[in-house]
Amino acid sequence: MLFANRRARPALQAEAVSPTRRGLFALGCACCLGLLPISPAAAQSPEVAGHLAAARAAAGEDLRPWLALGNAATPSSGASTPIEALMAQPAPPPAKAFDNLAFVGAKWVSAWALTTSDGIILLDALNNEEEAERLIEGGLRQLGLDPAQVRHIVVTHGHGDHYGGAAFLKQRHGAQVEMSAADWNMLETGLEFDVPQWGRPPQRDVVVEDGDTVRLGSTQVKILSTPGHSPGTISLLFDVSQGAQTHRALLWGGTAFNFGRRPDRMQRIESYIAGTRRAKEVAARENVTVLLSNHSGYDEADKKLQSVQGAATNPFVIGQQAVQRALTVIEECALATQAAWRA
């Protein structure tokens, strides 16, 4: 089925972290609260400005939401948005983006259900048990799908807005939970971020690493290591279908530069940049034409879902060139942030 290891998880002591500052928090994820304050002098350096200009050029008009990543290289402004307010936003109705891919997420954090001939692969699990029951299980039922058919829960990274509902769904449906070894280790030894609204981490289950494949029926989800956002962030490659057409999709697993206050931030941003460059190569080689996020503020999934039905072309299919441009925006914003941190 897949390459995996299983180990029991010792008791975890959660590290309480309070939300802090910054409007980017609202667009990205609760993990953005680790952003490092940037001085005006650092933000105005020619190197930072050059990378941000390259990001804007790559974004054009159609990919502008991804430019929010560049805010990490600019001086802090604005008040923080409490996580309670983010989580209280009305969730988009569950809907199919493709025949075999459905959105069952919240407004600010996404969960995707990949349907197969043998059950459902869930991609991320939202904030907590309540959301897993109301949005994931409830959303699946509204779409005529059976939550009991969830066989795998692939968690892109070890932050609570993505694993929060996993333990509940595993207990209820017996699904396997897959995550990278680095992030399982983080969950066991000390959370990078935690807030009371998140569910408790699942116990260690299945380890997946770069190049592994999660298989269910005839469907395969390929694991691509893209660390940085967390120590072991993974991105996911899989096929989506609409009628007779098949498209290659990439779900980018961890976006914001949330590790700026950590002592290893320079190593983390280096690995983030390297992962982005490798993802561009893989996406070009595999003809990826669909780029998804686990936060709809970037891929605008909540808006696109409203226009899928009856549209002449699926708005999620942006084309290989646009996928490359989006990954370039991510890379250039990371480079700008790296330069600002060095200044």
Side-chain angles (χ1 to χ4, degrees):
M1 179 186 61
L2 50 82
F3 301 97
N5 297 309
R6 292 176 178 266
R7 293 183 184 174
R9 183 181 69 89
L12 174 67
Q13 298 296 321
E15 297 174 357
V17 179
S18 300
T20 59
R21 74 181 189 90
R22 203 167 185 93
L24 179 59
F25 178 46
L27 185 127
C29 68
C31 314
C32 297
L33 48 82
L35 289 170
L36 184 72
I38 300 298
S39 71
Q44 293 166 11
S45 77
E47 187 177 4
V48 171
H51 287 303
L52 292 179
R56 289 192 296 271
E61 292 299 319
D62 53 321
L63 300 172
R64 291 185 64 82
W66 294 96
L67 288 172
L69 286 171
N71 292 348
T74 62
S76 173
S77 62
S80 64
T81 302
I83 190 170
E84 297 91 342
L86 295 174
M87 293 175 61
Q89 297 176 89
K96 287 190 174 183
F98 295 91
D99 293 345
N100 66 331
L101 184 70
F103 180 93
V104 287
K107 169 65 176 175
W108 71 288
V109 62
S110 304
W112 296 92
L114 185 62
T115 57
T116 81
S117 59
D118 240 7
I120 297 170
I121 302 173
L122 184 67
L123 312 177
D124 281 342
L126 301 184
N127 290 282
N128 52 43
E129 175 178 321
E130 187 277 333
E131 288 189 353
E133 185 171 35
R134 176 171 54 91
L135 298 178
I136 295 176
E137 291 188 336
L140 290 172
R141 291 191 185 100
Q142 287 185 53
L143 296 172
L145 300 169
D146 182 1
Q149 293 299 306
V150 174
R151 307 293 190 217
H152 296 273
I153 304 168
V154 184
V155 179
T156 55
H157 63 274
H159 296 151
D161 46 338
H162 302 281
Y163 66 66
F168 166 79
L169 293 168
K170 176 178 175 59
Q171 181 180 25
R172 179 167 284 193
H173 305 299
Q176 291 187 166
V177 180
E178 287 100 1
M179 199 183 311
S180 70
D183 279 16
W184 280 122
N185 292 340
M186 179 180 67
L187 266 56
E188 295 168 352
T189 59
L191 301 178
E192 285 192 328
F193 304 98
D194 193 21
V195 294
Q197 293 82 4
W198 288 345
R200 295 304 83 202
Q203 292 188 353
R204 182 183 288 250
D205 194 355
V206 177
V207 172
V208 289
E209 299 294 1
D210 188 60
D212 287 353
T213 300
V214 177
R215 296 183 176 90
L216 190 61
S218 59
T219 298
Q220 301 182 26
V221 176
K222 182 179 177 181
I223 306 300
L224 181 67
S225 179
T226 53
H229 180 77
S230 72
T233 296
I234 55 175
S235 295
L236 310 173
L237 291 149
F238 50 91
D239 289 338
V240 290
S241 60
Q242 187 170 32
Q245 295 184 322
T246 299
H247 308 277
R248 192 67 165 161
L250 170 65
L251 173 59
W252 188 245
T255 310
F257 313 126
N258 59 316
F259 43 89
R261 296 177 183 273
R262 300 187 64 83
D264 63 346
R265 62 180 173 270
M266 298 312 292
Q267 294 93 327
R268 290 273 286 270
I269 198 73
E270 282 282 358
S271 64
Y272 190 109
I273 293 165
T276 307
R277 289 172 174 168
R278 180 163 173 252
K280 287 172 66 175
E281 295 173 358
V282 172
R285 185 169 65 247
E286 299 196 13
N287 190 28
V288 171
T289 58
V290 177
L291 181 63
L292 302 172
S293 172
N294 43 27
H295 287 280
S296 63
Y298 294 108
D299 64 3
E300 297 187 294
D302 55 337
K303 297 178 182 178
K304 292 176 180 177
L305 288 166
Q306 299 175 23
S307 59
V308 168
Q309 300 301 322
T313 58
N314 189 312
F316 286 95
V317 183
I318 62 175
Q320 186 186 53
Q321 185 180 36
V323 169
Q324 291 292 307
R325 287 167 46 221
L327 291 169
T328 297
V329 174
I330 297 171
E331 177 189 356
E332 291 293 342
C333 288
L335 287 165
T337 303
Q338 180 188 51
W341 288 351
R342 278 198 307 246

